[in-house]
Structures are given as structure tokens and as C-alpha cells.
Amino acid sequence: MPLSQPYLLFLGDAPDALAAKVAQGIRDWRPEASVGQFRLPGCKADMGLPDMTIAEAAAAGARTLVIGVANRGGLIPEAWKPALVEALTAGMDVAAGLHNLLRDEPDLAAAAAAGGRTLHDVRVPVLHYPIADGKPRPGKRLLAVGTDCSCGKMYTALALEKTMRGRGMKADFRATGQTGILITGDGVPLDAVVADFMAGAIEAVTPANDAGHWDLIEGQGSLFHASYSGVTLALIHGGQPDALVLCHEPTRSHLRGLPHYKVPSLDELRPLALQLARIVNPDCRVIGCAINTAALTEAQAAAYLAETEARLALPCIDPFRHGAERLVDAL
Amino acid sequence: MPLSQPYLLFLGDAPDALAAKVAQGIRDWRPEASVGQFRLPGCKADMGLPDMTIAEAAAAGARTLVIGVANRGGLIPEAWKPALVEALTAGMDVAAGLHNLLRDEPDLAAAAAAGGRTLHDVRVPVLHYPIADGKPRPGKRLLAVGTDCSCGKMYTALALEKTMRGRGMKADFRATGQTGILITGDGVPLDAVVADFMAGAIEAVTPANDAGHWDLIEGQGSLFHASYSGVTLALIHGGQPDALVLCHEPTRSHLRGLPHYKVPSLDELRPLALQLARIVNPDCRVIGCAINTAALTEAQAAAYLAETEARLALPCIDPFRHGAERLVDAL
């Protein structure tokens, strides 16, 4: 059930730009998807889109109001409700990836039912997925794997999609987390899928395709992260990738949320990820590294990338700073 | 919420002994747990326990009727219902691991509510598990890992528990699947846990313990099985094992349910499982192999075990044929 586009981006009363990072992701990667933004008094975020009332957005053709702002604890504040109810009444669906679900708010559920609209809680799977069958399927797939969580895997896959489409290649980003789903309107919230069906869910969102088509699969977690490694392995075995990109943030001292575990090196990740991927696809190869150098100066980043590239004998780039061209070349 | 013991084993109208393998597991591994068996006309299974009516079992102190028989498609036949309702009315809980849930049967739900009894659907998790924190914890843990699904991992862990307890060691089997939960009355149905909480669920069922205590963790799936490998890795990283036992069925031509994948060798499993386990426990070691030789003659089994033991330089035994003594020696 993909989200209907175009969107109205709901920024609410975002206290700063960072709180609106879902909206920013939509703006960065699907700039054509939104007709405008809706802001409440005090909002400190701005996507540079036309500010619209709900009525104006409906008149401009908006089909889904996307909550592009995170709130403390994932709650849905009462201050947001009038706009959300108005949107539902005006014929829009509402989509969110918050911890607290839209469907659990009686006023929103009632307004959606009355108007025949859909509340999309993208944190929760909407389909029943099959158990993976591990069979080879046509079409090519690339998976971003990381030394840690939150080190740039989604961004890397989106940058690859943009570059490949720019070159006229057939390529689709495949979202496996809530932000990716809101950005592209479709995908699977893998962390909320029941264990037995994880790999099957990934097979379902990366189905058989044209021989020259590439699925660019958003990675999750890390093989080295005790909390989420099982999710990562299900992605590798369900995705059956032909190509891996290794993602890394070089300044982090420990794994995210696990202060007693240090971040592994790319040299440790590379053979382990490749060995596991080759269980399901013997032809899989590592094509390069995507380094998140946001915490480094331009000179530091250049030095780190050059050193890593020489050591691993692989293209190493920061897709945000330098684009994904060299990774696409490596395909 | 552990199951209350003692049990009445419900064998229903089992068409053969194999259909009653849950009951057989309880009989084999917890012989003291059951006061009797209940059979319907035509039942072809027999646990060698006293046949009892529901009233007799209640008088003998039975606290939970355990459905020890599987039915085609996991359904709950109408022919079973009168006995189940009578048990609930007589003060027993009812437990099952069937695909179709007891709680979804209106007559059973009504009888349980009226009598204040519990319906235990052990296929479904009953707790909300935390996200794993990966911290070291006191107590020792052993995990059975396999080259494939259904190759003897549960049996191996139960045999180790029996041998260790027989030697006066502190040891607890930790169930991670429905049959193991019904046998021991407690555990986690890992395949039904939501992805983000898999490793945390395993941490929860193998908590901090006495320094000399061993948890013997039932394994699931296989690192080489595309459908379930993520579940296996969550077990390795949540269980944080000090010791691994490698389980294998030597006559199988392909992975269970995946005819296009051959079964890996113990030589392939050993380094991969150990490398992944050492991410969370650098002191982990492989202590031996448990080979399911049911399909081999005694002479074939002896030859296979001797050859494997010489090749891997590890104790290799069939715990069913020869007991688990040599694996416990290796600890």
C-alpha cells in the first residue's frame, strides 16, 4: 500500500531543523513529491516550500499529509490534531513513523473512517510476508552494509539511486526503515517484522526484475552490533545482493547504544559480510566504501579517504560530499 | 508465565506416534512432569502413562493439560473440544503450540474466562522484550548451532542438561522454540518475536546467574539457511555463549525447505560460528559436535563419528545413541 503523492509536509512546531529530518529527507531525495509545507506557530524548520493551509494544500492536489517531524518520545501532540483532522476531512491520507500510532488516537481514527481516508503508520508492517525461499531471481541488487547503525547506509543507497537514474540506468531505492518508507512512499519496516519472516520481507520488496535493473537496498544495523545483527543478516540473505557497499563513520569511538563495544574496522567488516553474502550469491562482490566524513574537515576527509582507498584497494568516497559517481563506475 | 505442573498429556486421536512428538519430548526429558495421558478413541500414540479421564487427572493434581499432538495444518479439531472445555472447567490450564491459537476458539476462551484459567499459546510471545544491551553477565552459557534446521539442536541441549544435572552441576535448558517451551514449561518462541527484540529476548531468558551455572540454549535455524539465518545470529549475539556445540545430520542432501542449497560441512560452520560468537564473547570456543546418526547403522555411525573426530580434533558424539558425557567432559 504505497503512500499517495504528492505530499503536504507537516513540520508542526519543530523546535529546530534536526527535528524535521524526515521532511528534509523527502525534500532532498524526492524534491518533486511535495506541493508545500504546513507549519504551526513557533516552527523553526523550513524546507523552502510554499507555506500552505490545509485547504490550500488540498486545492493544490496534496494527497497525503506526511508528518515530517519527530516529537519527544514519539508522541502525537494535541496541538497537531486540528490540522491532522482537517487534512483527513479534506480528503488527504496521513502518514507518520512515530512510536505512538496514528490509528491509536480516537479522534484521528474517527476522522479517517468518516472520510474514507487511510492512516499510514509506517513503523508497523502492513503485509504478511512469506518465509524466504532463497531462490535466485533476475535483476541486480546492491546492499549497503555498515560497521555500525546510523552511519549513512540509507543516504548511500539514495545517492546511488540518484546517480544511476541520472545516467539513465534502471534503479530503485528499496526502503527498509521508516524514514526511507516516508521518503519513497513504499518499503518494509524491517525492525518491526516477526523474526521468521524477515528475510522473506526483503525478498518481497526486492522482487524479480529486468536483467539490467538495480535494487539499491537500504541497510540496517550491523553484523557487529549485538542488538541488531540478526536483522542485518536477514537483509543480506533475503536481499541476495550482487554488490555490497561498506559504510563507515570514522570518528565514532563505540557502537551506537553499546558503549562497551568498539566500532569494527572496514577491514573486519569486508570479509565477514562477503562470506555471508556468498552463501546465497556466490558472485557477490564488494564494490567500494561510503564514508560519512561529516565530522571531518575537507582536508581530513580527503586524507582519510585516500588512505582507506589505498589500504583496501576499493573506491572510497563520501556520497554526501562527493556524490556516488565512483561507486556507480565500480558497478 | 511458566506453565503450571504437573501436566496431563493430551494425545487426542493421534494417527501415529510421530504426531505426538511433543508429548514424547515431555515424556523423554521431563518424565516426572506428567500424571497421566488422555486419549480419544482411535489414538495410536502411547506414552506409557496411566490413561485418565479429565476428572481423574484433576483428582490426581494435574494443573495443565498440554496438547502433545500435532494436527494437520495446526488446526484444533472439534473432536478435541469437549475434553479441553472439561479440563478448563475442572481447574486446569490448557497449553498448546499449534498454529491456530487456543485463544481464538470462542468456546475455549469462554470456558477459560469462566473458570479463571489460562490458555497458553506458546507459539506467541507473552512478554515485551527489551533491546539487547550486549553486556557481559555472570554465569556460563552454551549454545547449540547447526549446519541446518531440525538437525538435533534441541535434543543436544536437553541431553547436556540431563548429563550435567546427573553430575550435580547447575544447568538449565533454555527453550527458544515451542516444543522446548512445552517440555520445560518456559522459554521464548524466538521465531515469533519482532526483529528488533530477538537478541534482547535471548538475553532475557539467559540472565545473569551463579558463576558456575550453565544455561544450555536451544539453537534455531542455521547461519547458512537463507530463511532463518537472522534468527540464528540473534541467538549467538543475545546468548553470548562461552561454548558452542556444532550439530549436524550427515545424510541430508540439501537444507530443509531449500532444495537448491546443499548442507554446509561442519568445517564450514565451525570458523563462521566462532567468529560471530567472539564478537560478543572473545573467550567463546567450540567444544564438540553432536551428530544426528539416526539414519545410519551402528557401524556407519561409529565410522562417521571417528572420521569426523579425527578431522576436526573435537569430541564428536551422537547424544541420543551415546549420551552427552564426552561433551560435558569437554567443558
Side-chain angles (χ1 to χ4, degrees), chain B residues 10-182:
Chain B
F10 179 88
L11 306 183
D13 42 7
D16 52 37
L18 194 62
K21 70 174 187 170
V22 168
Q24 191 62 54
I26 296 172
R27 189 74 182 112
D28 287 343
W29 298 108
R30 292 292 185 268
E32 74 290 356
S34 308
V35 297
Q37 64 188 17
F38 179 94
R39 300 194 287 175
L40 289 168
C43 181
K44 300 286 198 304
D46 183 357
M47 297 301 127
L49 289 164
D51 281 297
M52 292 183 174
T53 64
I54 298 297
E56 287 166 348
R63 302 198 43 208
T64 304
L65 180 153
V66 175
I67 296 184
V69 55
N71 198 40
R72 189 185 291 268
L75 298 173
I76 301 164
E78 288 304 312
W80 295 3
K81 294 282 190 67
L84 305 185
V85 169
E86 189 183 346
L88 291 163
T89 307
M92 289 180 232
D93 296 336
V94 174
L98 300 168
H99 268 289
N100 288 57
L101 303 185
L102 299 167
R103 70 182 70 162
D104 292 339
E105 302 291 321
D107 41 1
L108 300 183
R117 308 316 317 161
T118 300
L119 298 173
H120 293 280
D121 288 301
V122 305
R123 193 174 279 271
V124 182
V126 289
L127 299 174
H128 289 282
Y129 296 101
I131 286 176
D133 68 18
K135 288 186 187 157
R137 53 196 187 276
K140 298 282 190 183
R141 289 166 304 280
L142 178 148
L143 174 65
V145 293
T147 52
D148 194 4
C149 306
S150 310
C151 66
K153 294 183 287 289
M154 183 185 82
Y155 197 100
T156 298
L158 283 162
L160 282 163
E161 179 197 59
K162 184 176 180 180
T163 302
M164 292 171 82
R165 288 183 172 182
R167 293 191 189 184
M169 299 170 73
K170 286 183 278 190
D172 286 302
F173 172 81
R174 301 299 189 185
T176 62
Q178 63 207 19
T179 305
I181 295 171
L182 289 172

Side-chain angles (χ1 to χ4, degrees), chain A:
Chain A
M1 198 160 37
L3 309 186
S4 299
Q5 293 185 345
Y7 298 155
L8 171 66
L9 292 186
F10 179 88
L11 307 183
D13 43 6
D16 51 36
L18 194 62
K21 71 173 187 172
V22 168
Q24 191 64 53
I26 296 171
R27 190 75 182 110
D28 288 345
W29 297 109
R30 292 292 185 268
E32 74 290 357
S34 308
V35 298
Q37 63 188 18
F38 179 94
R39 301 194 288 175
L40 290 167
C43 181
K44 299 287 199 302
D46 184 359
M47 297 301 125
L49 289 165
D51 281 297
M52 292 183 175
T53 64
I54 298 296
E56 287 167 348
R63 303 198 43 208
T64 303
L65 179 151
V66 175
I67 297 184
V69 56
N71 199 40
R72 189 186 292 267
L75 298 173
I76 301 163
E78 288 304 313
W80 295 3
K81 293 284 190 67
L84 304 185
V85 169
E86 188 184 346
L88 291 163
T89 307
M92 286 180 233
D93 296 335
V94 174
L98 300 169
H99 268 290
N100 288 59
L101 303 185
L102 299 167
R103 71 183 67 163
D104 292 338
E105 303 290 323
D107 42 1
L108 299 183
R117 308 316 317 162
T118 300
L119 299 173
H120 293 281
D121 288 301
V122 304
R123 192 175 282 271
V124 182
V126 288
L127 298 175
H128 290 282
Y129 295 102
I131 287 176
D133 68 18
K135 288 187 187 157
R137 53 197 187 276
K140 298 282 190 182
R141 290 164 305 277
L142 178 149
L143 174 66
V145 293
T147 53
D148 193 6
C149 305
S150 309
C151 66
K153 293 184 288 288
M154 182 185 81
Y155 197 100
T156 298
L158 283 162
L160 283 163
E161 180 197 47
K162 184 176 179 180
T163 302
M164 293 170 83
R165 288 182 172 182
R167 293 191 188 184
M169 297 170 74
K170 286 183 278 189
D172 286 300
F173 172 80
R174 300 301 188 185
T176 62
Q178 62 206 21
T179 304
I181 295 170
L182 289 172
I183 289 174
T184 60
D186 208 355
V188 58
L190 186 60
D191 61 5
V193 170
V194 164
D196 249 2
F197 307 101
M198 295 185 296
I202 299 304
E203 287 187 348
V205 298
T206 61
N209 216 316
D210 298 345
H213 179 279
W214 280 91
D215 276 338
L216 306 162
I217 310 171
E218 179 188 3
Q220 297 291 337
S222 164
L223 291 168
F224 293 85
H225 196 295
S227 314
Y228 309 117
S229 55
V231 180
T232 308
L233 186 52
L235 261 162
I236 293 174
H237 282 174
Q240 218 176 84
D242 300 280
L244 297 173
V245 172
L246 311 180
C247 301
H248 186 57
E249 205 288 338
T251 69
R252 217 171 270 181
S253 60
H254 61 75
L255 289 177
R256 191 171 164 88
L258 301 181
H260 41 305
Y261 285 90
K262 72 180 184 61
V263 177
S265 67
L266 288 163
D267 310 74
E268 292 171 279
L269 173 61
R270 181 185 191 170
L272 181 60
L274 194 60
Q275 180 183 3
L276 289 165
R278 285 184 171 169
I279 290 173
V280 294
N281 186 345
D283 297 326
C284 184
R285 60 205 175 90
V286 174
I287 62 147
C289 301
I291 311 294
N292 178 349
T293 65
L296 302 180
T297 65
E298 189 68 49
Q300 287 171 327
Y304 184 87
L305 290 168
E307 185 275 318
T308 307
E309 177 152 341
R311 193 176 79 246
L312 297 177
L314 285 173
C316 293
I317 52 108
D318 180 333
F320 182 78
R321 267 186 153 137
H322 311 120
E325 299 287 350
R326 292 188 57 226
L327 293 180
V328 178
D329 294 344
L331 285 179

